[in-house]
Amino acid sequence: MMSDPWAITLSSVVLWLAWGCFLIVALRNLVSVVQLIVAAYVFKTRVPPAARSIDLWARYSDVAPPISVLAPAYNEELSIIESVRALLGLEYPEHEVIVINDGSTDATLDILIRAFAMKPANLPQVAELQVTKIVGTYRSTTHPNLIVIDKENGRKADAVNAGLGFARTPLVCIIDADSIIEPDGLLRSAEPFLSDDGSLVAVGGAIRIANGCDVKGGSLRKIGVPKAWIPRFQVVEYLRAFLTARVANAHFDALTLISGAFGLFRRDVLVEIGGYHHDTIGEDLELMIHLHRYLRDKQVPYSFDFVPEIVCWTEAPATLGGLRNQRARWQQGALETLNRHRSMLFNPRYGRIGILMMPQIVLEDVLGPPAELIGYIVFPAAYLLGVLSGEAALAYLFLTFVFGTGLSVGTLALEETQLRRTPNARDLARIAVAAVVENFGYRQVNLVFRLIGIKRYFRGEKGWSAVPRVGFNG
């Protein structure tokens, strides 16, 4: 008796889909393993920077170049005072703080004016890089190094570009207004520039989750673990991203992302390329890829650095809605950047970036999310159709759930042995539990959010989905 040809076709499709998903997920996991091993090697063999900020100050206070801290702000009334106080209180010989109010619809500007005694000031703009209108400029009468730029809404990229136009220092620090740098953060980020031969363009640092921490008067008083599970899962994610991927990529001179929450850049290079692209959702990734492309096209020596001891604390989304908006936006931004710079893909002209890192973006942001989600469906289907054994289905589950847990625990071990930012064993155990639990629901929901970002990209949506804020100590 002849078998049903449609059944054969369905079985073949399911089988090919299953093994295709398996190979993509396995390759993505292999990249993560290599990054973890390289990061462990880097931490073990490197010479760590000075442990105490007083030593940094004694060493560099006379030679550290002036820095302008650019803090774009949109509807940040809940945390703007604490953030600005933290920026003003940074341990650095000479720095100015430029807050760019990007057309906030809440009381952000009014709060700034009242809290810091801001007065209108006719400040000249050296370079006009933004596309929206500057409404007004203010300088604090109590803090002469504090400037506020009020402008029409144009999103973060446009706000940073406006700030670049008013900055005059050789280095600019770009930080989210809802973030807090540790007091020695500027000194630590400036240190690589002081020993550089002139090729260093930017320095990035680690981003940590501020939810659950004790923040008062604009400073971090006590490190804590978020009470809610959604931000607690993000603690694990951020540790993986910054203690493995960033450290490993920087070691190979292939750093493609300095977080938009914190980065120190040479101002002249940013102005030379025209600042951020105005029409991008993922401005931090696009900026770095743009810099790589521009500097390689010019055939000038350059480098980027990452210092894990630089820590910037930021408020993470506390709800699924906020997380969805953030992750969909990140996904959409990655696809926009990949498309804009697609000619770099596998192009030897761009060295490691074209040959290794651009394909890695394809793997992680184009193929990876749908492949893993499809795998959760097709592997059980293949087993039920009798085209794959139960062992094969279990192997896929091991590849996703067990492997993900192992990678997270390995990163936690790296953090505990090298940086030790988790205050006590109880908090470390709570994060370890989150590293296991996140693989059973949270991880899959995140994949769905990333698919939403893919859909928004292909539909050409340009709207900015805001992340609701609850303020620090949440």
Side-chain angles (χ1 to χ4, degrees), residues 378-397:
V378 298
F379 268 91
Y383 171 71
L384 293 175
L385 289 170
V387 295
L388 275 181
S389 65
E391 289 79 5
L394 288 175
Y396 183 76
L397 293 179

Side-chain angles (χ1 to χ4, degrees), residues 225 229 232 412 422 424-436:
V225 175
W229 280 102
R232 193 182 301 182
L412 279 176
T422 306
N424 54 60
R426 181 174 178 269
D427 285 345
L428 186 65
R430 293 167 70 189
I431 299 174
V433 170
V436 176

Side-chain angles (χ1 to χ4, degrees), residues 217-290:
S219 63
L220 186 76
R221 301 294 180 88
K222 182 181 178 181
I223 298 174
V225 175
K227 297 178 181 178
W229 280 102
I230 291 176
R232 193 182 301 182
F233 290 142
Q234 292 171 78
V235 171
V236 179
E237 288 182 300
Y238 277 53
L239 286 175
R240 282 199 304 264
F242 289 96
L243 295 191
T244 57
R246 300 288 201 283
V247 171
N249 291 346
H251 176 71
F252 289 121
D253 197 21
L255 191 63
T256 56
L257 183 60
I258 289 178
S259 174
F262 173 82
L264 188 65
F265 298 83
R266 276 176 47 192
R267 179 186 173 277
D268 62 329
V269 178
L270 292 188
V271 172
E272 198 172 329
I273 67 170
Y276 286 98
H277 273 293
H278 300 280
D279 58 347
T280 183
I281 298 293
E283 66 284 330
D284 46 4
L285 176 63
E286 201 286 326
L287 176 68
M288 287 293 290
I289 300 299
H290 187 186

Side-chain angles (χ1 to χ4, degrees), residues 98-114:
I98 303 177
V99 179
I100 307 99
N101 179 50
D102 190 40
S104 295
T105 57
D106 66 358
T108 297
L109 180 61
D110 292 336
I111 288 174
L112 284 169
I113 291 174
R114 290 196 304 269

Side-chain angles (χ1 to χ4, degrees), residues 391-455:
E391 289 79 5
L394 288 175
Y396 183 76
L397 293 179
F398 175 87
L399 195 65
T400 54
F401 294 102
V402 180
F403 182 89
T405 301
L407 182 64
S408 297
V409 171
T411 305
L412 279 176
L414 195 63
E415 197 277 341
E416 179 62 17
T417 57
Q418 298 298 326
L419 299 179
R420 297 186 178 181
R421 292 301 182 111
T422 306
N424 54 60
R426 181 174 178 269
D427 285 345
L428 186 65
R430 293 167 70 189
I431 299 174
V433 170
V436 176
V437 177
E438 69 155 342
N439 292 280
F440 301 92
Y442 175 81
R443 175 172 175 164
Q444 291 73 29
V445 168
N446 250 321
L447 292 172
V448 173
F449 293 162
R450 296 183 71 176
L451 290 184
I452 292 174
I454 293 175
K455 182 191 73 172

